[in-house]
Amino acid sequence: MDIPGSAGQFMTGRAKLSAMTVKTKDEILKMAKVCKLAARCLEHTGKFVRAGITTDELDKIANDWGLSHGAKAAPLGYKGYPKSICTSVNHVICHGVPGSEVLKDGDIVNVDVTLLLDGFHGDTSYTFFVGEVSERAKKVTEIAKRAMEKGIEAITPFGTTGDIGFAINKFTTKSGFFVVEEIGGHGIGRVFHEDPFVPSFGKKGRGDRLLPGGCITVEPMVNETDADMIDHAIPNSSIQWYTTADKTLSAQFEHTVLITEKGPEILTVP
């Protein structure tokens, strides 16, 4: 699950001293455990993505799996969010709320899972195909996955969040697609959303310093067009969900990443 950020800090000024929370060895072990569990939960839930299933059924599958493995669904009740996962279908950019919507052949759906175990959070997402999808759906999904990978590859110890955003945006725009600038990744650990904000655009050397022992999510949202983003209220919640104004497709992938002295280590692997 991603967070809104401020664009200006990534475009001007020098790199900032980081507010990133550096984990101890024991805390890193706990992060690794919950992140692996979140990845397994996402993998399990993804097996049920098919035409005819509702997003609410996917929510129950994910929540039941997490509980059966001793973990809590972190989004449930977070700032009033009413469900255990986010399910963002087709032109929904992020924070889609599971409900009675029935998935149809040709849809794409991002399933975003965050688990809480032993006081730590693991956050990951994947965009799934529902049956046979169009070539444009395949393309935007492929670019979103590669954009995340490019962002992770740009992580270096004592580098910056701007390095990540620059790599994501450069690859995405060269591929003919568009990143969402207003929402991005975040620090993560004992707190669901910690500093720093991790953008999908930026300038090299700008933003927050990346400290060894810190954990962040890299989760670019990639749109087919540069249409405006529309925000929608969730009743009794301070969290909003977002769609493309022209109803063109949006795709997203997410990993939780540990910054080490040698570079990035992806924690959300099954």
Side-chain angles (χ1 to χ4, degrees):
M1 180 181 271
D2 23 64
I3 56 171
S6 171
Q9 63 181 306
F10 308 108
M11 304 306 291
T12 60
R14 298 179 179 178
K16 301 186 299 180
L17 292 175
S18 184
M20 177 176 286
T21 302
V22 174
K23 277 68 176 172
T24 65
K25 289 183 179 180
D26 181 64
E27 289 172 335
I28 289 171
L29 289 174
K30 290 181 178 180
M31 282 294 298
K33 183 177 180 180
V34 69
C35 283
K36 180 178 285 291
L37 202 64
R40 289 177 59 202
C41 182
L42 179 60
E43 182 180 61
H44 173 77
T45 306
K47 294 175 182 178
F48 295 87
V49 173
R50 61 179 184 273
I53 197 168
T54 68
T55 53
D56 216 14
E57 287 174 312
L58 292 178
D59 182 77
K60 185 177 188 306
I61 288 166
N63 188 49
D64 288 349
W65 192 95
L67 290 173
S68 72
H69 289 78
K72 175 187 175 183
L76 186 59
Y78 179 73
K79 296 185 177 181
Y81 188 79
K83 296 292 181 174
S84 299
I85 62 174
C86 299
T87 50
S88 302
V89 182
N90 294 332
H91 69 289
V92 179
I93 296 171
C94 65
H95 300 170
V97 182
S100 60
E101 181 175 11
V102 179
L103 295 181
K104 306 181 300 299
D105 190 70
D107 286 342
I108 60 173
V109 56
N110 177 268
V111 177
D112 192 337
V113 170
T114 309
L115 293 184
L116 175 61
L117 180 71
D118 295 332
F120 288 86
H121 295 78
D123 193 358
T124 185
S125 83
Y126 192 96
T127 297
F128 296 93
F129 297 153
V130 183
E132 291 296 322
V133 304
S134 66
E135 287 302 314
R136 69 187 185 93
K138 290 178 182 177
K139 189 63 175 178
V140 71
T141 303
E142 174 195 351
I143 296 304
K145 187 172 187 292
R146 289 292 294 127
M148 177 193 67
E149 293 167 349
K150 291 290 186 181
I152 293 171
E153 290 168 7
I155 294 173
T156 59
F158 304 106
T160 69
T161 53
D163 299 342
I164 299 170
F166 177 84
I168 290 171
N169 191 49
K170 179 181 178 181
F171 170 78
T172 303
T173 55
K174 280 193 170 185
S175 302
F177 292 84
F178 302 85
V179 299
V180 174
E181 296 184 354
E182 299 89 343
I183 309 172
H186 51 90
I188 188 168
R190 288 187 183 275
V191 178
F192 195 161
H193 295 110
E194 299 180 346
D195 287 332
F197 176 70
V198 182
S200 294
F201 80 110
K203 292 184 177 181
K204 290 183 179 181
R206 306 288 173 86
D208 288 86
R209 288 289 179 194
L210 303 173
L211 305 181
C215 291
I216 59 172
T217 68
V218 178
E219 46 180 319
M221 283 144 277
V222 172
N223 294 350
E224 285 189 281
T225 74
D226 61 352
D228 290 341
M229 181 174 70
I230 300 177
D231 58 278
H232 307 265
I234 299 173
N236 304 311
S237 173
S238 60
I239 293 175
Q240 295 176 311
W241 60 286
Y242 302 89
T243 60
T244 58
D246 60 359
K247 295 190 176 181
T248 51
L249 297 175
S250 181
Q252 178 189 8
F253 289 82
E254 174 186 16
H255 274 310
T256 297
V257 181
L258 169 68
I259 299 152
T260 78
E261 294 283 357
K262 297 181 179 180
E265 179 183 341
I266 298 172
L267 298 181
T268 41
V269 289

